[in-house]
Amino acid sequence: MSSDRLSAGLMDVARESVRQIDHHPVAGRLVRGTLPADIYVRYLAQVRRQIRGSAPMLEQTGSRLRAMRREELSSLFLRKAGEEDGHDVWALSDIEQLGFDPSVVERECSFAAVDAYIAWTAYCVALSPVAVLGVAWILEWFGVCRAGMAAEAMIRQSGIPHIASAVRFLRGHADADAAHVQALREALDHITDPRESETILLSAQVTANLYTSFFDAAGSTLNAQR
């Protein structure tokens, strides 16, 4: 599979995943800016759990690829490890700005989808580190397409007190992820084995499904409150 075909396949997965986000009963409300404060905080607590391990996971990926003598890909992931380090602090700050105790929020909500995501990335690092390209592609694409939109919509529409000071996580990823997607696109030129291409596409699909599911438990809570 050529890098152009792999890129096209990843774009198809990404576009479909964004469509599912838009139509999800909870994620769609985040994008439209109508998510209640407590559900927004539950979401932030989960992405904080998810992203807290991102820098170490990316560093491990880079180290594994270096051991495999994949120097270009290794450099990409080691650089990304530095870029992602500390992003969980953005979500922590947003939670605190809304007057919630992050430790209480995290104890009260632990989503199976986040546990599965953490297990999936660990599996990829151990057995097929190039698959992390699929993970990164989907997460960066969400940031480019919807994070900034969601931040501005929450400020305009939610009516949540202090919300303008509590969208750092969303805005941070919207600002950074366009350049990150381009770097990932260029990295696809180093994928020449068709089996690796299929693995990357599978990883992107799994990541898209898991990320959408981050909203599912919050959705059942929201439905119970109606």
Side-chain angles (χ1 to χ4, degrees), residues 177-191:
D177 287 354
H180 295 173
V181 168
Q182 181 58 34
L184 292 172
R185 195 187 306 274
E186 293 170 1
L188 299 182
D189 290 338
H190 301 291
I191 305 300

Side-chain angles (χ1 to χ4, degrees), residues 202-213:
L202 172 62
S203 184
Q205 185 64 69
V206 170
T207 303
N209 291 346
L210 290 174
Y211 193 88
T212 304
S213 293

Side-chain angles (χ1 to χ4, degrees), residues 41-193:
V41 166
R42 285 169 63 83
Y43 161 72
L44 289 172
Q46 294 314 301
V47 293
R48 181 174 181 242
R49 285 187 59 222
Q50 171 238 329
I51 207 166
R52 192 161 47 201
S54 289
M57 181 270 290
L58 292 167
E59 185 172 0
Q60 291 166 14
T61 301
S63 297
R64 288 273 290 118
L65 288 165
R66 178 160 290 168
M68 297 166 65
R69 299 185 178 180
R70 307 288 292 271
E71 290 297 333
E72 297 86 355
L73 294 177
S74 171
S75 295
L76 168 68
F77 283 110
L78 291 174
R79 183 171 68 252
K80 284 185 66 60
E83 293 168 349
E84 294 295 322
D85 189 29
H87 285 198
D88 59 305
V89 176
W90 296 349
L92 175 64
S93 173
D94 290 341
I95 292 170
E96 291 175 332
Q97 287 293 325
L98 295 177
F100 289 78
D101 183 337
S103 64
V104 172
V105 173
E106 288 195 347
R107 283 198 303 271
E108 289 180 350
C109 53
S110 177
F111 296 176
V114 180
D115 296 336
Y117 168 86
I118 293 169
W120 172 253
T121 55
Y123 173 85
C124 290
V125 171
L127 296 182
S128 185
V130 295
V132 179
L133 278 170
V135 177
W137 185 283
I138 292 300
L139 297 181
E140 305 285 15
W141 191 257
F142 282 157
V144 169
C145 290
R146 290 296 181 266
M149 181 186 301
E152 298 310 313
M154 288 293 288
I155 291 170
R156 289 194 315 270
Q157 304 290 341
S158 71
I160 298 171
H162 311 298
I163 187 63
S165 300
V167 291
R168 188 181 179 193
F169 178 83
L170 294 171
R171 278 184 168 161
H173 285 89
D175 292 343
D177 287 354
H180 295 173
V181 168
Q182 181 58 34
L184 292 172
R185 195 187 306 274
E186 293 170 1
L188 299 182
D189 290 338
H190 301 291
I191 305 300
T192 57
D193 186 334

